[in-house]
Amino acid sequence: MWVNPEEVLLANALWITERANPYFILQRRKGHAGDGGGGGGLAGLLVGTLDVVLDSSARVAPYRILYQTPDSLVYWTIACGGSRKEITEHWEWLEQNLLQTLSIFENENDITTFVRGKIQGIIAEYNKINDVKEDDDTEKFKEAIVKFHRLFGMPEEEKLVNYYSCSYWKGKVPRQGWMYLSINHLCFYSFLMGREAKLVIRWVDITQLEKRATLFLPDVIKVSTRSSEHFFSVFLNINETFKLMVQLANIAMRQLLDNEGFEQDQSLPKLKKKSPKKVSALKRDLDARAKSERYRALFRLPKDEKLDGHTDCTLWTPFNKMHILGQMFVSTNYICFTSKEENLCSLIIPLREVTIVEKADSSSVLPSPLSISTRNRMTFLFANLKDRDFLVQRISDFLQQTTSRIYSDKEFAGSYNSSDDEAKEFLKEQAWKIHFAEYGQGICMYRTEKTRELVLKGIPESMRGELWLLLSGAINEKATHPGYYEDLVEKSMGKYNLATEEIERDLHRSLPEHPAFQNEMGIAALRRVLTAYAFRNPNIGYCQAMNIVTSVLLLYAKEEEAFWLLVALCERMLPDYYNTRVVGALVDQGVFEELARDYVPQLYDCMQDLGVISTISLSWFLTLFLSVMPFESAVVVVDCFFYEGIKVIFQLALAVLDANVDKLLNCKDDGEAMTVLGRYLDSVTNKDSTLPPIPHLHSLLSDDVEPYPEVDIFRLIRTSYEKFGTIRADLIEQMRFKQRLKVIQTLEDTTKRNVVRTIVTETSFTIDELEELYALFKAEHLTSCYWGGSSNALDRHDPSLPYLEQYRIDFEQFKGMFALLFPWACGAHSDVLASRLFQLLDENGDSLINFREFVSGLSAACHGDLTEKLKLLYKMHVLPEPSSDQDEPDSAFEATQYFFEDITPECTHVVGLDSRSKHSADDGFVTVSLKPDRGKRANSQENRIYLRLWTTENKSKSKNAKDLPKLNQGQFIELCKTMYNMFSEDPNEQELYHATAAVTSLLLEIGEVGKLFITQPAKEVGSGASAQGILGVPFSRKGPGQPYGVESAEPHPASLAGDSEEHSLGGQMEDIKLEDSSPRDNGASSSMLISDDDTKDDSSMSSYSVLSAGSHEEDKLHCEDIGEDTVLVRSGQGTTALPGSTCLDRDWAITFEQFLASLLTEPALVKYFDKPVCMMARITSAKNIRMMGKALPSASDYEISALSG
């Protein structure tokens, strides 16, 4: 391709010149084998290695064209190419269009300017024609994208985020190369002295990701999957690399957890000219996301708030008359500030509260000041702003967007008039009143160390609800969503689902000892809040423990406020705690175990042995100690939680363990340890509480034991801060990431085991095969989430469903799996066959199949016996036609032609129907009624029968062969095409082709005979035959090997059902005899005409083969030995050819028994369908192809992590 001209100083270093003229040079990179040439020996290997290590573009484009002027040493790259053909086209264009023109110029500078302008013009024209849009990615990064897709066979949808130089330790040998980090994969490529090393790991398969130091290497990143460990070192910037890896792994875990795919943010500002190289738009997007997450967590802002930018500045704090150094953060709806010194001062100013933003006059004392005034008459003075004008413009833009909205946000107002006479409560209120006067009131108040001290001493009862709203940030969501809660209540009331059933069950278990929930008013409010939240967030719905937390919120806040506090808890402060698998609580349980090991090591081993930590942490964390402490003490814990977040809960839990170290060490079992902890927590009291005592006895506390000495809640909290206050929020987040990988992968493994355990008895697969199939099935679902699929990913994954039905795939995904795993998938007919099987397996008709349905079909096709396989094949074709654009033959005659183009079967005879004669007397052929009622005429509209039979079969539990509907002519033709295409890649293709042709011929003849049976109308027969059956006299079996005797009956006039058919009966039928229809060795199938006695069923044509002959002796049917393969033909005049009609014959049909029996006559087909299938080999191949987009040459070339779920 043409490239923007760039200077090259050493034109011949590592390049070989292949063509040259006075102005242009075409070169090939050393080490690149052009047109089958060698790789250049040792020099070539060295160059190839250098290209990889130095990230040279020559790995992507080993050909280039340089421009030079005769007297200059400076060269310009003007084109590059990945192949000789591409570069030759550019070379020829230059020779034809530019060479003669350049000779006109006299000045070399003019020539250079002309050539550069011409090349740039060509590129601009190409971009215009092909609608190539400018993007933020640099040329270097675009080369890396091309390289990434080419090296690892990734589709275009797989987005590269960034790439880093590093070493991969393969055994004890480091391989220097490049790590490529994409949205869904971690890849590594190295080329050293002719040897390639490739590694591809899916983020969803990673179980551990950690950065650590070793004795020999200061910094190593360890990546663990279920099956292997990988070590990377020698990074230029290991912190940046590891941070990005953590972020991508988190995205993958989120995808496993609730099926959230990754969508790039298109609203990012454009890259500036001076931005660092190699930063992709995706990398910037992820960096912006990470910053926004930290920003939201720091200031407790709503989940959709995006950080726009931040800058260093100072803030004037009137309470201590100082300029505090810190950072200002600006986002769409907020201006926030935090001091450099932790906990000194922080500030949140919602733009909805801002009235004036103005630039004050600069001075040496106060450079670049900015004044912001709010509606509650507070003014904030920032200074030392580097780019004040730009900042003011950004704030003005956001203010314009904000003012257009209408908010019903009322001023924060505590109720300070305490009607209680308790002195301590009064003093607390006074302290808060003074604090508000000094530091401001409401959302915009200065938050300092003094604020935290007041919270730790306990919030007054009268102010608790509004301060919870303020400290948790729930006040912001309430203010920006007026009327939201009322609408939600209105929509959710009267609707029922699993969540509402669980809510109803738990309503009367929520603080039943509190008077507020001993009447219907309190219960109704709780019901409305929980139901509204279940409808707001169906991913969570309702989880046990939410009722306890919500009931406490309702005691201190109004109904709508309690709802928004619950939103803040579930979606921001306790992420993933209340989903169906309480993942967040399990993650924090793991974090708590790590903290216990670090802070109370003397207790850790004992607790692990007893298994107590996992038991206590869930109940403590899920309810914030509300279910295990006396109510008046637990609300103080909630006060601190809303101010400090989860670290308070960890600190308090560690303090409880630390206070009981000696007793826990003496415990013999987990029950005794739980009793010790339960009694301790029950003794925690709040002496400042003005509430009447609410009885709260731990279930494990027995009455005959002395009560535990009282523990003051405020002293316990102070102790927790003194001993464990060094736990930082960022440390908790790092530990959470590590535990999240572990927890989610453990849950996935548990799910897989549950699925396999449930389904293993239903299939012929081994446990190992099922586990691999489940992993592949889930991987297919996940891949479609980010590489595109025809149906919505959220429709295909519902975590509330049973394990077997959680992951479902649509037809497009199934088609890919079918081609990789099913033994019948080959040839052009594969997609049609996949469509038929998908339709068969999709029992509920939702166009999605779950794992159980998928495995049932695969099991029958791979491990079923001959009959099961053929039954599956038959049922796939007896379904209603799937929509297909393929042309179908119009008649059985055309189907015959399809198979007999190069084969002339011997003695193949078909019953002919002469369309010219209308006589029907003394035909003497057989008629069978499909209805059990005697004397009733058979219904010729077979389609209705098929539909009825098929519906009945679907409802029936036992699907016996005799219950299968018949195969009509169109379906039979499709079955023939399927069988023919099925063998297209088999080593015995020719033999199977001949066998298929023979079976097809036989079945065509059987269908024709069956048509004769069905078109004769049922009629009352004489007295001699009336007791003998439906139409004629049944034959009696003679001795073994002897012909069947046929008694005579009155002849029946024949008429054709269905006037639209183009066939009519021939004239007087002559003697009918049985002849061999095609050459084959074993002829043991008589079931196409006369079935065994154990298959008697009037609904199946083969269940009775009733023969009736005319009364004239010469017209009698002569039955010869039908142990041979037979077909009814006329004698005398010979056979007449089947007319090539233009429509399908609706009377033509065959049954499954006839299909099975006919196929059994061909050993080649029997051997093919009996052939065992090696499932693990297919699964391994499928994993490799799915991972790389192509089959892998050998295991040594690639290391691919197992796609275990």
Side-chain angles (χ1 to χ4, degrees):
M1 62 177 185
W2 301 106
V3 295
N4 279 314
E6 292 182 9
E7 282 191 30
V8 177
L9 295 178
L10 295 171
N12 294 314
L14 309 180
W15 291 85
I16 301 168
T17 300
E18 294 202 335
R19 294 191 190 183
N21 60 43
Y23 295 101
F24 301 105
I25 302 171
L26 190 154
Q27 295 183 325
R28 174 172 58 84
R29 186 72 164 177
K30 285 181 181 176
H32 177 76
D35 292 341
L42 180 62
L45 290 177
L46 285 169
V47 173
T49 302
L50 275 173
D51 285 343
V52 171
V53 173
L54 300 176
D55 189 31
S56 168
S57 59
R59 288 291 297 170
V60 179
Y63 296 94
R64 70 179 183 181
I65 297 175
L66 302 179
Y67 158 75
Q68 66 160 359
T69 51
D71 299 325
S72 173
L73 295 175
V74 178
Y75 296 80
W76 297 81
T77 308
I78 59 170
C80 64
S83 66
R84 187 182 294 276
K85 181 183 177 185
E86 180 187 2
I87 206 71
T88 303
E89 288 176 0
H90 289 345
W91 178 263
E92 290 173 352
W93 186 90
L94 290 170
E95 286 186 328
Q96 293 169 12
N97 295 281
L98 280 191
L99 270 185
Q100 291 184 345
T101 310
L102 297 182
S103 59
I104 301 170
F105 290 93
E106 296 179 358
N107 189 334
E108 288 184 0
N109 290 336
D110 293 344
I111 298 176
T112 303
T113 306
F114 175 77
V115 171
R116 290 179 62 189
K118 189 71 176 174
I119 299 300
Q120 287 167 349
I122 292 171
I123 294 170
E125 186 66 24
Y126 174 84
N127 290 345
K128 183 179 177 182
I129 292 171
N130 293 278
D131 195 26
V132 176
K133 295 177 181 176
E134 286 188 25
D135 55 28
D136 289 343
D137 293 341
T138 61
E139 292 297 328
K140 192 73 176 170
F141 192 80
K142 288 176 185 174
E143 287 175 7
I145 293 172
V146 173
K147 199 182 302 182
F148 167 70
H149 287 134
R150 184 172 63 81
L151 288 173
F152 303 104
M154 295 289 177
E156 290 298 318
E157 293 85 357
E158 182 66 1
K159 303 295 184 187
L160 180 65
V161 180
N162 213 351
Y163 64 111
Y164 300 94
S165 171
C166 68
S167 289
Y168 168 56
W169 289 82
K170 198 170 184 181
K172 295 182 179 179
V173 181
R175 304 292 298 266
Q176 183 64 30
W178 291 87
M179 176 190 284
Y180 294 86
L181 304 180
S182 69
I183 289 297
N184 306 295
H185 297 90
L186 182 159
C187 304
F188 177 84
Y189 177 78
S190 171
F191 179 87
L192 289 175
M193 302 306 292
R195 295 196 63 185
E196 279 189 336
K198 286 186 185 180
L199 175 72
V200 178
I201 304 172
R202 295 166 64 108
W203 291 116
V204 290
D205 293 326
I206 290 177
T207 56
Q208 193 175 10
L209 188 62
E210 57 182 335
K211 182 177 67 173
R212 64 185 193 182
T214 64
L215 186 61
F216 302 106
L217 293 163
D219 288 311
V220 174
I221 292 177
K222 177 187 173 186
V223 179
S224 304
T225 65
R226 289 176 178 81
S227 57
S228 56
E229 292 182 344
H230 307 278
F231 296 89
F232 301 90
S233 62
V234 198
F235 289 90
L236 295 175
N237 189 343
I238 191 167
N239 290 328
E240 180 193 328
T241 310
F242 185 70
K243 199 180 291 183
L244 181 57
M245 291 170 78
V246 165
Q247 204 172 357
L248 292 168
N250 259 326
I251 290 171
M253 293 305 105
R254 175 59 51 192
Q255 192 178 43
L256 283 178
L257 189 59
D258 56 18
N259 217 60
E260 273 187 21
F262 176 82
E263 289 187 14
Q264 188 175 348
D265 185 358
Q266 304 295 340
S267 62
L268 288 176
K270 288 291 180 184
L271 201 62
K272 295 178 182 175
K273 297 287 184 185
K274 296 179 182 178
S275 292
K277 296 281 184 181
K278 288 202 312 185
V279 177
S280 68
L282 264 179
K283 174 71 168 61
R284 291 172 52 235
D285 181 4
L286 289 170
D287 287 345
R289 285 171 190 240
K291 287 178 181 176
S292 291
E293 281 172 19
R294 287 195 295 272
Y295 167 64
R296 290 193 296 265
L298 184 60
F299 298 104
R300 304 276 167 77
L301 299 177
K303 282 181 73 176
D304 55 355
E305 193 65 21
K306 289 181 185 175
L307 178 65
D308 187 67
H310 57 90
T311 182
D312 290 337
C313 66
T314 58
L315 171 67
W316 170 253
T317 49
F319 51 86
N320 59 2
K321 307 292 188 291
M322 287 177 65
H323 291 282
I324 296 177
L325 183 64
Q327 276 193 318
M328 175 196 281
F329 300 83
V330 178
S331 61
T332 320
N333 300 294
Y334 299 87
I335 299 169
C336 301
F337 173 87
T338 185
S339 57
K340 292 281 187 187
E341 185 182 338
E342 195 174 9
N343 295 325
L344 185 59
C345 180
S346 67
L347 184 66
I348 302 169
I349 309 172
L351 290 183
R352 63 179 183 272
E353 298 286 334
V354 173
T355 54
I356 300 170
V357 177
E358 59 182 346
K359 293 181 278 189
D361 295 333
S362 291
S363 66
S364 57
V365 182
L366 206 63
S368 304
L370 177 67
S371 169
I372 298 177
S373 302
T374 62
R375 291 195 303 184
N376 59 353
R377 298 183 181 84
M378 290 181 74
T379 300
F380 304 95
L381 189 62
F382 298 91
N384 290 286
L385 292 161
K386 289 180 182 176
D387 200 349
R388 184 177 62 167
D389 292 343
F390 177 75
L391 182 66
V392 170
Q393 184 59 49
R394 294 300 290 167
I395 294 173
S396 299
D397 293 343
F398 291 139
L399 273 172
Q400 285 178 359
Q401 298 168 22
T402 307
T403 50
S404 62
R405 304 173 191 159
I406 299 171
Y407 293 108
S408 60
D409 187 19
K410 64 182 180 61
E411 289 293 319
F412 175 84
S415 113
Y416 308 126
N417 300 320
S418 173
S419 60
D420 207 297
D421 296 331
E422 290 285 340
K424 288 181 180 177
E425 186 74 5
F426 176 74
L427 288 174
K428 280 185 188 178
E429 289 190 5
Q430 289 302 311
W432 277 99
K433 205 184 289 186
I434 293 165
H435 183 78
F436 288 143
E438 191 174 350
Y439 294 91
Q441 180 180 322
I443 186 72
C444 299
M445 74 176 181
Y446 294 97
R447 301 167 196 228
T448 66
E449 189 68 34
K450 182 76 180 294
T451 315
R452 186 169 79 163
E453 287 174 16
L454 285 174
V455 171
L456 295 186
K457 288 176 182 175
I459 297 173
E461 293 284 323
S462 57
M463 299 182 184
R464 185 164 270 139
E466 290 179 281
L467 276 170
W468 280 359
L469 267 181
L470 182 68
L471 300 175
S472 66
I475 191 170
N476 293 313
E477 283 147 319
K478 178 178 177 291
T480 53
H481 294 83
Y484 177 85
Y485 175 68
E486 289 83 352
D487 292 343
L488 208 55
V489 169
E490 193 176 328
K491 288 175 186 173
S492 62
M493 278 298 143
K495 294 185 180 175
Y496 298 97
N497 56 23
L498 183 62
T500 56
E501 286 177 23
E502 291 176 344
I503 289 168
E504 288 298 325
R505 190 179 61 218
D506 286 350
L507 282 175
H508 295 279
R509 303 177 190 172
S510 311
L511 289 188
E513 66 274 10
H514 198 286
F517 297 101
Q518 291 169 358
N519 59 66
E520 186 53 38
M521 185 181 292
I523 295 290
L526 183 60
R527 177 188 291 115
R528 286 192 294 272
V529 173
L530 290 173
T531 307
Y533 186 77
F535 274 80
R536 167 188 166 86
N537 191 343
N539 284 339
I540 291 177
Y542 171 77
C543 173
Q544 281 188 334
M546 284 171 71
N547 60 320
I548 295 171
V549 174
T550 308
S551 58
V552 173
L553 298 177
L554 278 168
L555 291 177
Y556 293 101
K558 295 174 185 174
E559 196 175 308
E560 183 181 3
E561 293 170 345
F563 170 78
W564 288 113
L565 282 167
L566 184 64
V567 169
L569 267 175
C570 295
E571 296 175 13
R572 289 191 285 108
M573 302 188 75
L574 296 174
D576 302 322
Y577 259 60
Y578 300 107
N579 60 22
T580 49
R581 298 189 281 184
V582 291
V583 171
L586 291 173
V587 168
D588 280 352
Q589 174 186 305
V591 172
F592 182 53
E593 287 187 22
E594 278 196 67
L595 291 171
R597 186 182 60 213
D598 295 341
Y599 286 94
V600 281
Q602 71 276 26
L603 194 59
Y604 178 73
D605 291 336
C606 167
M607 297 292 280
Q608 284 294 95
D609 293 340
L610 295 177
V612 173
I613 289 181
S614 58
T615 310
I616 60 174
S617 54
L618 277 179
S619 59
W620 293 2
F621 296 167
L622 276 169
T623 62
L624 304 175
F625 286 94
L626 287 165
S627 63
V628 292
M629 258 189 205
F631 174 75
E632 63 275 10
S633 303
V635 290
V636 178
V637 178
V638 179
D639 292 344
C640 301
F641 170 75
F642 278 128
Y643 186 80
E644 290 272 40
I646 193 65
K647 67 169 284 193
V648 172
I649 306 298
F650 285 127
Q651 287 174 190
L652 196 62
L654 289 170
V656 171
L657 291 184
D658 186 62
N660 292 276
V661 168
D662 296 334
K663 291 182 180 179
L664 288 170
L665 287 173
N666 294 323
C667 290
K668 304 291 189 296
D669 55 40
D670 59 337
E672 191 178 346
M674 291 300 294
T675 304
V676 167
L677 292 170
R679 292 183 66 234
Y680 177 84
L681 288 168
D682 270 325
S683 69
V684 177
T685 58
N686 178 3
K687 293 179 180 176
D688 294 355
S689 175
T690 58
L691 295 172
I694 298 170
H696 182 281
L697 291 176
H698 196 276
S699 58
L700 295 174
L701 179 61
S702 52
D703 296 332
D704 57 347
V705 180
E706 287 184 24
Y708 202 94
E710 287 187 351
V711 180
D712 182 57
I713 181 64
F714 299 107
R715 186 176 298 161
L716 180 62
I717 288 174
R718 274 198 303 275
T719 304
S720 75
Y721 270 90
E722 287 165 6
K723 289 191 175 182
F724 311 108
T726 53
I727 299 172
R728 295 168 53 86
D730 56 348
L731 173 70
I732 291 173
E733 281 308 312
Q734 289 173 21
M735 295 168 80
R736 272 180 167 176
F737 165 72
K738 183 179 174 182
Q739 293 299 327
R740 192 177 295 118
L741 285 178
K742 185 177 172 183
V743 166
I744 291 178
Q745 297 293 18
T746 303
L747 287 171
E748 291 294 312
D749 289 342
T750 305
T751 300
K752 180 172 68 176
R753 282 195 298 273
N754 289 337
V755 168
V756 170
R757 196 181 301 123
T758 306
I759 212 170
V760 70
T761 55
E762 303 174 11
T763 73
S764 307
F765 291 118
T766 65
I767 289 178
D768 289 343
E769 287 174 340
L770 279 174
E771 287 187 348
E772 291 293 340
L773 282 171
Y774 178 80
L776 201 58
F777 188 88
K778 191 184 78 175
E780 185 67 31
H781 162 81
L782 291 172
T783 301
S784 71
C785 293
Y786 45 75
W787 287 352
S790 58
S791 61
N792 187 351
L794 292 173
D795 295 339
R796 295 193 300 272
H797 181 231
D798 184 354
S800 65
L801 290 172
Y803 289 129
L804 278 168
E805 300 173 25
Q806 281 192 10
Y807 292 108
R808 292 173 289 177
I809 57 174
D810 59 22
F811 173 63
E812 285 303 315
Q813 297 165 286
F814 176 78
K815 189 165 68 174
M817 298 276 283
F818 180 85
L820 294 172
L821 294 173
F822 280 77
W824 301 340
C826 56
H829 210 58
S830 179
D831 286 358
V832 177
L833 197 60
S835 171
R836 292 177 180 282
L837 182 56
F838 185 84
Q839 193 180 3
L840 179 67
L841 297 177
D842 182 18
E843 292 183 358
N844 60 357
D846 63 353
S847 299
L848 297 168
I849 63 170
N850 61 37
F851 184 63
R852 172 181 262 147
E853 293 166 340
F854 174 77
V855 166
S856 68
L858 186 60
S859 179
C862 294
H863 291 324
D865 58 26
L866 178 69
T867 307
E868 283 179 316
K869 289 179 180 178
L870 292 176
K871 191 185 291 184
L872 179 68
L873 191 63
Y874 182 90
K875 284 162 74 175
M876 285 161 64
H877 291 81
V878 84
L879 283 164
E881 286 295 308
S883 57
S884 173
D885 298 332
Q886 298 200 357
D887 295 330
E888 297 179 352
D890 286 323
S891 68
F893 175 72
E894 292 182 39
T896 311
Q897 294 300 106
Y898 183 82
F899 283 96
F900 290 79
E901 290 169 335
D902 57 349
I903 295 178
T904 309
E906 302 171 22
C907 307
T908 300
H909 301 285
V910 182
V911 177
L913 297 175
D914 187 353
S915 60
R916 287 171 296 182
S917 174
K918 301 280 183 184
H919 293 290
S920 57
D922 292 335
D923 285 340
F925 63 82
V926 182
T927 307
V928 176
S929 170
L930 286 180
K931 295 192 176 183
D933 300 59
R934 263 185 223 176
K936 290 195 178 177
R937 186 176 175 274
N939 185 359
S940 64
Q941 301 299 320
E942 290 292 335
N943 289 341
R944 293 179 187 173
I945 297 172
Y946 294 149
L947 285 171
R948 189 161 58 251
L949 287 171
W950 187 238
T951 307
T952 307
E953 186 199 14
N954 273 341
K955 289 177 183 173
S956 171
K957 296 275 182 183
S958 56
K959 297 183 181 177
N960 299 322
K962 64 182 181 181
D963 295 329
L964 291 174
K966 292 187 292 184
L967 202 69
N968 65 31
Q969 199 174 79
Q971 293 164 343
F972 172 68
I973 291 165
E974 286 302 312
L975 176 59
C976 297
K977 289 165 72 174
T978 295
M979 289 180 65
Y980 176 67
N981 281 279
M982 198 184 290
F983 314 132
S984 63
E985 295 172 15
D986 196 276
N988 303 317
E989 180 182 350
Q990 201 60 30
E991 185 184 356
L992 289 166
Y993 178 76
H994 280 264
T996 306
V999 169
T1000 305
S1001 165
L1002 178 58
L1003 288 170
L1004 281 169
E1005 295 160 0
I1006 291 170
E1008 286 298 325
V1009 173
K1011 190 176 70 173
L1012 296 180
F1013 287 8
I1014 205 169
T1015 50
Q1016 176 68 23
K1019 191 175 180 182
E1020 287 295 331
V1021 293
S1023 58
S1026 61
Q1028 301 296 332
I1030 300 168
L1031 294 169
V1033 182
F1035 41 83
S1036 58
R1037 189 183 287 268
K1038 304 275 186 178
Q1042 294 183 14
Y1044 288 88
V1046 182
E1047 300 179 43
S1048 70
E1050 289 296 318
H1052 307 291
S1055 66
L1056 267 178
D1059 296 334
S1060 61
E1061 297 291 338
E1062 295 186 11
H1063 303 79
S1064 60
L1065 287 174
Q1068 180 82 20
M1069 285 190 71
E1070 310 213 8
D1071 289 342
I1072 298 174
K1073 67 179 181 180
L1074 300 169
E1075 272 189 27
D1076 190 7
S1077 66
S1078 59
R1080 49 182 75 83
D1081 298 329
N1082 65 331
S1085 175
S1086 62
S1087 63
M1088 73 291 292
L1089 286 180
I1090 303 170
S1091 68
D1092 293 333
D1093 295 336
D1094 60 349
T1095 57
K1096 296 185 178 180
D1097 188 319
D1098 290 332
S1099 66
S1100 174
M1101 193 171 74
S1102 65
S1103 57
Y1104 268 97
S1105 292
V1106 185
L1107 303 179
S1108 151
S1111 57
H1112 302 293
E1113 194 66 32
E1114 63 272 46
D1115 288 340
K1116 275 189 180 178
L1117 177 69
H1118 300 288
C1119 286
E1120 299 182 4
D1121 186 357
I1122 52 176
E1124 299 275 322
D1125 287 3
T1126 54
V1127 67
L1128 288 171
V1129 295
R1130 288 184 189 276
S1131 61
Q1133 294 179 352
T1135 62
T1136 54
L1138 184 74
S1141 80
T1142 56
C1143 65
L1144 293 173
D1145 190 341
R1146 280 195 273 175
D1147 288 333
W1148 190 99
I1150 59 168
T1151 64
F1152 173 68
E1153 295 96 319
Q1154 292 167 340
F1155 170 64
L1156 175 63
S1158 302
L1159 195 136
L1160 286 171
T1161 62
E1162 291 294 334
L1165 290 174
V1166 172
K1167 183 180 176 184
Y1168 176 85
F1169 283 106
D1170 263 341
K1171 186 169 57 179
V1173 177
C1174 180
M1175 204 60 227
M1176 285 307 289
R1178 284 182 172 272
I1179 291 170
T1180 304
S1181 173
K1183 285 198 301 187
N1184 291 340
I1185 291 170
R1186 270 292 178 247
M1187 189 60 118
M1188 301 299 295
K1190 55 180 180 289
L1192 301 182
S1194 68
S1196 61
D1197 291 341
Y1198 300 88
E1199 288 184 42
I1200 299 192
S1201 63
L1203 293 176
S1204 50

